[in-house]
């Protein structure tokens, strides 16, 4: 519902994430890319995402909790990720809420990977030809 | 966890309250748990790592909360409907009538006998159409005009409500300040009555829902009663037409801003500006006109500067009360409605 409203007003800062074609949402910001990357293999909770983004980026990206949850909220609203229902442990305690990629989020992430691969291939071949 | 880390965590929890309520309800618990783990991990790296980390996290929360608030207000504003030009111009007619009356007085142009009944019928018709259509924005000034008139009739009851305030002090200045608010007191009775009515009557319920979502809708309704207030404020004066036209023009402009602006803040600014400028013009008018007035009760008494300032001050006090009645009262009611909604939601 929110997404439909947002697209109506054509505000550049607000229309990100709201296109239906995966390619229309590209390129992704570095933070979004890393969050989707950490969620690609398995669902994770907020702290695990934060830690893994830090490791994957070679410690160049240290997300603050505020930034992370702001980004997660937008990804949830856009339908790129969804929460996994918390399960109940043996001692009766609930596990923390985890997030996982939706089919839409996965297709956008795949499209971004393909885009980056294509760019890298083009660049490599151009440089290789230049050196020949 | 060491004691001073617990203190930092408590501070962090307080900072999380800066987020909009919906965001806080959804994520604050998770953010708090994450922060606890982050602090524990940082403390393992030594005590020097903790202050830097906390500073970064706190800054992240402050900027994140500001961004979320800005975003929430933008979404809220954008979700509002901007009234179209035709409907907006239609909504300005009650204010334009004030200009027509002032021009008629200034030019000594006698309006035909059928004019007043026709105008009253016209206003009554649009009040009814507005009611039948669930009180859309364009009809609110018409409803407000009725409120202004009804408010005068309810003044006696409102006085009774305000008695405790009168008993607070026997200082004549205090009494003058209270008396300045008298013309708005009817709103104290009418605003809650309107909400009860609109909550109860099914076809009027859209209005109640709109007030619950955006209290300025109620403000705009009460704003429609301002032409009545202006007429009463300048009632005893002669030669006041130019000021009345200026004040009515300011009201029209404020109403137009309210109807045509998409953001909540600008809408509110339109109403506040309209009230402030119109009553400011009236205060200036009274200050300038007072020496030229020949009131029988005053006889041949000379008007000194103090009397002129007193008269202007009296109007500014009316302005202050007007702001309270038109902006603060609906804001308060809106807040109560939202809290009641929260209470209802929390029931199983």
């Amino acid at each position: 519902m929110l997404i439909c409203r947002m697209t109506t007003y054509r505000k550049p800062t607000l229309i990100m994430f709201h296109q239906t074609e995966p390619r229309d949402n590209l390129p992704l910001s570095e933070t979004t890319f890393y969050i989707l990357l950490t969620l690609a293999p398995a669902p994770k909770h907020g702290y695990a995402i934060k830690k893994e983004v830090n490791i994957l980026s070679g410690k160049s990206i240290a997300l603050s909790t505020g930034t992370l949850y702001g980004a997660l909220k937008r990804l949830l609203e856009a339908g790129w990720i969804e929460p996994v229902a918390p399960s109940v442990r043996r001692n009766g305690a609930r596990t923390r809420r985890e997030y996982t990629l939706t089919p839409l989020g996965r297709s956008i992430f795949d499209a971004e990977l393909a885009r980056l691969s294509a760019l890298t291939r083009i660049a490599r071949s151009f440089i290789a030809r230049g050196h020949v | 966890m060491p004691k001073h880390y617990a203190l930092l965590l408590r501070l962090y929890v307080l900072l999380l309250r800066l987020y909009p309520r919906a965001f806080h309800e959804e994520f604050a618990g998770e953010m708090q748990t994450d922060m606890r783990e982050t602090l524990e991990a940082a403390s393992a790296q030594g005590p020097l790592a903790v202050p830097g980390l906390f500073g970064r996290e706190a800054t992240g929360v402050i900027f994140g909360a500001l961004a979320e608030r800005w975003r929430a207000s933008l979404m809220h504003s954008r979700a509002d409907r901007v009234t179209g030009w035709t409907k907006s111009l239609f909504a300005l007619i009650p204010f334009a009538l004030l200009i027509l009356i002032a021009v008629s007085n200034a030019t000594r142009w006698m309006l035909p006998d059928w004019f007043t009944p026709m105008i009253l019928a016209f206003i009554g018709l649009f009040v009814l159409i507005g009611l039948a259509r669930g009180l859309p924005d364009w009809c609110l000034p018409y409803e407000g005009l009725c409120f202004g008139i009804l408010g005068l009739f309810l003044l006696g009851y409102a006085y009774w409500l305000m008695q405790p305030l009168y008993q607070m002090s026997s200082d004549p200045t205090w009494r003058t300040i209270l008396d300045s608010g008298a013309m708005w007191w009817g709103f104290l009775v009418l605003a809650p009555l309107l909400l009860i009515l609109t909550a109860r009557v099914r076809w009027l319920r859209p209005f109640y829902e709109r007030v619950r979502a955006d209290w300025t809708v109620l403000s705009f309704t009460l704003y429609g009663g301002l032409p009545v207030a202006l007429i009463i404020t300048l009632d005893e004066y002669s030669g006041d037409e130019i000021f009345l036209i200026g004040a009515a023009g300011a009201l029209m402009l404020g109403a137009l801003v309210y109807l045509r602006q998409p953001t909540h803040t600008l809408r509110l600014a339109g109403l506040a500006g309209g009230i402030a400028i119109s009553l400011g013009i009236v205060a200036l008018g009274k200050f300038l006109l007072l020496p030229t007035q020949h009131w029988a009760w005053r006889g041949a008494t000379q008007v000194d500067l103090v009397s002129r300032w007193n008269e202007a001050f009296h109007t500014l006090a009316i302005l202050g009360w007007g702001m309270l009645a038109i902006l603060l009262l609906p804001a308060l009611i809106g807040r109560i409605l939202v809290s009641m909604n929260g209470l209802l939601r929390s029931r199983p």
Side-chain angles (χ1 to χ4, degrees):
Chain A
M1 187 67 77
L2 196 62
I3 298 162
C4 301
R5 268 192 210 157
M6 288 161 92
T7 47
T8 315
Y9 297 105
R10 297 179 189 180
K11 185 91 178 169
T13 51
L14 292 176
I15 57 169
M16 57 186 291
F17 300 153
H18 306 127
Q19 313 294 334
T20 46
E21 279 295 311
R23 274 195 304 177
D24 294 341
N25 296 284
L26 307 184
L28 300 180
S29 72
E30 206 174 5
T31 307
T32 307
F33 177 81
Y34 274 114
I35 292 173
L36 296 185
L37 175 61
T38 57
L39 294 178
K44 285 185 184 61
H45 55 69
Y47 184 64
I49 297 171
K50 202 168 108 167
K51 263 198 332 188
E52 201 147 315
V53 167
N54 190 244
I55 293 165
L56 283 171
S57 66
K59 302 210 170 179
S60 68
I61 296 179
L63 291 177
S64 74
T65 314
T67 310
L68 173 68
Y69 280 91
L72 288 179
K73 182 173 185 275
R74 265 172 275 299
L75 292 171
L76 282 167
E77 283 171 358
W80 292 15
I81 64 170
E82 61 189 357
V84 179
S87 54
V88 182
R89 290 193 188 127
R90 279 183 192 167
N91 61 4
R94 283 176 169 268
T95 57
R96 288 159 69 174
R97 183 160 78 153
E98 293 184 324
Y99 301 93
T100 188
L101 289 185
T102 60
L104 173 66
R106 193 167 288 280
S107 65
I108 288 166
F109 181 65
D110 289 343
E112 177 69 346
L113 283 185
R115 188 187 71 85
L116 291 173
S117 300
L119 281 179
T120 315
R121 201 172 49 245
I122 291 164
R124 281 192 197 289
S125 103
F126 180 74
I127 290 167
R129 268 186 284 144
H131 283 288
V132 168
Chain B
M1 182 182 278
K3 199 177 174 184
H4 57 284
Y5 291 169
L7 195 70
L8 287 180
L9 195 61
R10 204 170 294 169
L11 187 61
Y12 185 78
V13 170
L14 277 177
L15 284 175
L16 289 178
R17 294 208 163 268
L18 294 172
Y19 277 100
R21 196 165 51 168
F23 188 99
H24 188 270
E25 278 172 8
E26 191 172 0
F27 297 111
E30 281 177 72
M31 290 173 83
Q32 191 184 336
T33 313
D34 288 5
M35 184 61 188
R36 181 192 292 274
E37 288 192 35
T38 309
L39 275 176
E40 279 170 359
S43 65
Q45 294 167 17
L48 288 177
V50 175
L53 176 118
F54 183 79
R56 193 164 55 80
E57 289 288 347
T59 315
V61 165
I62 292 166
F63 281 104
L66 282 175
E68 284 305 321
R69 284 201 172 272
W70 176 80
R71 201 166 165 271
S73 73
L74 198 65
M75 297 305 297
H76 177 72
S77 316
R78 296 274 154 184
D80 284 347
R81 227 180 32 235
V82 173
T83 310
W85 272 109
T86 315
K87 285 181 178 170
S88 294
L89 293 176
F90 209 69
L92 299 182
I93 290 174
F95 306 105
L97 283 175
L98 197 59
I99 296 180
L100 187 67
I101 291 168
V103 169
S104 146
N105 280 349
T107 56
R108 310 276 176 227
W109 169 56
M110 290 301 288
L111 294 166
D113 288 343
W114 49 263
F115 185 80
T116 308
M118 190 198 74
I119 288 297
L120 289 175
F122 174 80
I123 290 169
L125 179 69
F126 286 104
V127 164
L128 292 177
I129 292 175
L131 283 170
R133 295 195 160 212
L135 295 168
D137 279 356
W138 64 262
C139 80
L140 296 181
Y142 294 88
E143 315 292 337
L145 199 59
C146 293
F147 265 38
I149 298 162
L150 268 174
L152 291 178
F153 287 111
L154 285 171
L155 207 59
Y157 298 101
Y159 256 117
W160 175 76
L161 269 177
M162 301 302 278
Q163 274 310 306
L165 278 179
Y166 275 101
Q167 285 159 7
M168 276 170 63
S169 169
S170 56
D171 186 347
T173 314
W174 176 241
R175 200 185 163 83
T176 309
I177 290 171
L178 287 181
D179 282 342
S180 315
M183 75 171 68
W184 310 107
W185 293 350
F187 288 174
L188 284 179
V189 183
L190 285 170
L193 274 181
L194 178 74
L195 283 176
I196 292 166
L197 178 78
T198 53
R200 292 274 168 184
V201 181
R202 196 162 55 90
W203 85 86
L204 293 179
R205 213 173 153 81
F207 179 82
Y208 173 77
E209 296 295 344
R210 270 161 54 221
V211 172
R212 216 165 58 159
D214 175 9
W215 54 265
T216 63
V217 173
L218 185 59
S219 289
F220 188 54
T221 311
L222 301 180
Y223 185 89
L226 277 163
V228 180
L230 287 188
I231 289 172
I232 292 167
T233 312
L234 282 167
D235 184 35
E236 294 172 312
Y237 282 79
S238 57
D240 59 344
E241 290 82 7
I242 189 74
F243 298 101
L244 200 57
I245 291 169
L251 286 186
M252 279 177 84
L253 201 64
L256 193 63
V257 169
Y258 180 86
L259 291 162
R260 295 290 304 159
Q261 287 302 320
T263 69
H264 181 84
T265 316
L266 281 174
R267 286 178 155 210
L268 209 55
L271 295 186
I275 304 168
I277 296 171
S278 62
L279 281 167
I281 290 171
V282 171
L284 177 72
K286 283 186 172 184
F287 183 82
L288 296 175
L289 291 173
L290 193 65
T292 65
Q293 303 303 303
H294 302 289
W295 293 322
W297 56 266
R298 203 172 63 195
T301 321
Q302 280 293 312
V303 176
D304 57 5
L305 200 59
V306 176
S307 314
R308 293 170 73 186
W309 278 114
N310 268 343
E311 197 67 1
F313 167 76
H314 185 72
T315 312
L316 291 178
I318 292 174
L319 166 68
W321 281 104
M323 288 283 194
L324 287 178
I326 293 174
L327 300 178
L328 198 68
L329 175 67
L332 201 67
I333 289 175
R335 187 82 200 159
I336 292 168
L337 290 179
V338 169
S339 315
M340 278 167 62
N341 187 36
L343 282 174
L344 289 173
R345 266 190 302 169
S346 65
R347 282 179 193 164

